[in-house]
Amino acid sequence: VQLVESGGGLVQPGGSLRLSCAASSFTFSNYDVSWYRQAPGKERELVAAITSAGGSTNYADSVKGRFTISRGNAKNTVYLQMNSLKPEDTAVYYCRAEHRPKMRTGGDYWGQGTQVTVSS
């Protein structure tokens, strides 16, 4: 089981990036998927999440109206579209998949992270 993030990079303030989280060997059909980020010297924080049932979404206040989380048609990919990026969005972004219903052991996976740097 592996989650692989991609799409990070260097972008100027006001620019856009789309991050992808791809699952190997399973689909996200029974998983809530979320994006977290961690900036240097700060704790990891939840940025956006999408549920397995119904696809409800929620966002951190700091990214509402700028970021959009969505599921891909292939059912093993989740995206994070990031618009109007700000320097304070600079962080390593991580994808997380949690099985629903929650499993007694396992069923909680993290990717290795992708760096997003917003700078002029």
Side-chain angles (χ1 to χ4, degrees):
V1 175
Q2 189 176 11
L3 298 181
V4 178
E5 302 101 332
S6 60
L10 173 64
V11 63
Q12 292 186 344
S16 298
L17 285 174
R18 188 176 81 158
L19 305 183
S20 299
C21 173
S24 64
S25 74
F26 70 100
T27 69
F28 286 137
S29 299
N30 295 315
Y31 288 81
D32 290 353
V33 182
S34 50
W35 286 94
Y36 287 73
R37 68 186 181 188
Q38 188 166 20
K42 295 188 177 181
E43 293 187 355
R44 190 172 296 188
E45 63 173 350
L46 177 65
V47 175
I50 187 165
T51 61
S52 59
S56 297
T57 59
N58 69 282
Y59 299 91
D61 287 343
S62 59
V63 307
K64 280 181 182 177
R66 300 188 298 122
F67 289 12
T68 302
I69 187 171
S70 62
R71 292 180 179 271
N73 292 331
K75 297 186 179 181
N76 70 332
T77 306
V78 169
Y79 302 102
L80 184 68
Q81 178 67 43
M82 306 187 296
N83 299 328
S84 302
L85 283 161
K86 305 175 181 180
E88 51 263 43
D89 295 318
T90 296
V92 178
Y93 284 71
Y94 298 90
C95 178
R96 180 185 187 184
E98 299 171 89
H99 192 275
R100 293 292 182 259
K102 187 175 180 179
M103 300 171 67
R104 292 184 64 183
T105 59
D108 188 352
Y109 308 108
W110 289 83
Q112 82 290 349
T114 186
Q115 177 70 47
V116 172
T117 302
V118 184
S119 175
S120 56

